[in-house]
């Protein structure tokens, strides 16, 4: 009889304590859920900022190379013109700035569906106008090493040179950019980007 009364007393105490703290427990659960959502939102923002930083670094490197090239051309003596030789004006390729490709479509010959003007979380490749055909051809390369370490299915766009696998690498070297050519509404991959790892 004492055991039954003890069980009833314990059950009443548990119900009382749970009822008294139910609102606090619910509030704590909501706080934990909100923190998880905030963390995911912050991680997405950090990823987007990393893509933008990488794109800006690539632009900076490209502009540095172009500046060196222009400086070298300006320092070189101009060839002497003959009277019979027509004047040739140098025409600069259409460099409309940095663009971006997202996922590779691995059907037949690989292709990109669209070219993006600004980076977002889907961006896998940085693209720039191909001087050989600036209006319909783009040179492309991976955004960063992390892209190759965390994405499968890029073999239609990237050829790995050397023995170091992407997962073991600490740095990526673009040996040769890939080429994508506009055909209708697709950017067909004509040549894969060749990369090696250190």
């Amino acid at each position: 009889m004492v055991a039954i009364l003890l069980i009833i007393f314990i059950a009443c105490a548990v119900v009382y304590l749970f009822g008294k703290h139910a609102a606090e427990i619910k509030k704590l659960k909501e706080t934990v859920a909100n923190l998880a959502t905030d963390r995911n939102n912050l991680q997405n923002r950090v990823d987007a900022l990393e893509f933008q930083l990488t794109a800006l670094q690539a632009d900076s490197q490209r502009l540095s190379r172009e500046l060196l090239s222009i400086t070298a051309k300006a320092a070189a003596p101009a060839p002497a013109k003959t009277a019979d030789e027509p004047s040739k004006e140098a025409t600069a390729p259409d460099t409309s700035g940095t663009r971006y490709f997202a996922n590779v479509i691995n059907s037949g010959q690989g292709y990109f569906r669209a070219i993006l003007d600004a980076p977002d979380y889907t961006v896998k490749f940085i693209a720039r106008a191909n001087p050989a055909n600036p209006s319909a051809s783009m040179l492309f390369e991976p955004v960063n090493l992390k892209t190759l370490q965390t994405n499968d299915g890029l073999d239609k766009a990237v050829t790995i040179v050397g023995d170091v696998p992407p997962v073991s690498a600490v740095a990526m070297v673009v040996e040769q950019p890939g080429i994508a050519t506009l055909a209708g509404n697709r950017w067909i991959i004509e040549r894969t980007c060749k990369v090696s790892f250190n």
Side-chain angles (χ1 to χ4, degrees):
M1 182 72 166
V2 173
I4 294 175
L5 288 175
L6 184 60
I7 292 172
I8 292 173
F9 175 75
I10 291 172
C12 288
V14 168
V15 168
Y16 171 76
L17 289 175
F18 182 74
K20 183 177 180 182
H21 299 290
E24 292 173 11
I25 292 170
K26 182 179 179 184
K27 187 175 180 181
L28 284 173
K29 286 181 180 180
E30 289 172 357
T31 302
V32 169
N34 289 340
L35 287 174
T37 302
D38 289 348
R39 182 187 179 283
N40 290 339
N41 290 342
L42 286 173
Q43 185 61 47
N44 289 342
R45 182 69 180 139
V46 166
D47 290 345
L49 289 173
E50 283 177 354
F51 281 125
Q52 289 175 348
L53 176 62
T54 303
L56 290 172
Q57 288 171 337
D59 276 349
S60 173
Q61 290 173 354
R62 180 182 53 80
L63 290 173
S64 294
R65 288 190 301 263
E66 288 177 10
L67 180 61
L68 286 174
S69 174
I70 290 169
T71 305
K73 286 179 185 175
K81 289 185 183 179
T82 63
D84 298 340
E85 184 179 318
S87 175
K88 295 180 182 176
E89 292 294 324
T91 57
D94 178 18
T95 53
S96 58
T98 301
R99 302 296 227 19
Y100 307 90
F101 288 124
N103 296 329
V104 178
I105 308 301
N106 285 324
S107 139
Q109 185 176 10
Y111 67 91
F112 301 105
R113 259 200 200 123
I115 191 162
L116 308 171
D117 292 328
D120 65 13
Y121 70 95
T122 65
V123 167
K124 306 274 187 301
F125 298 93
I126 295 174
R128 63 185 184 283
N130 184 354
N133 185 3
S135 64
S137 182
M138 300 294 279
L139 300 175
F140 67 90
E141 58 189 61
V143 171
N144 54 32
L145 175 61
K146 183 178 175 184
T147 299
L148 298 176
Q149 290 174 326
T150 59
N151 291 284
D152 293 330
L154 298 179
D155 58 322
K156 295 283 186 176
V158 178
T159 300
I160 297 172
V161 179
D163 298 330
V164 180
V167 293
S168 304
V170 293
M172 170 184 75
V173 177
V174 176
E175 303 289 341
Q176 181 181 41
I179 297 176
T181 304
L182 184 60
N185 62 351
R186 297 178 177 179
W187 288 87
I188 306 296
I189 298 171
E190 300 290 339
R191 180 180 76 199
T192 61
C193 175
K194 291 182 174 50
V195 297
S196 61
F197 302 107
N198 298 323

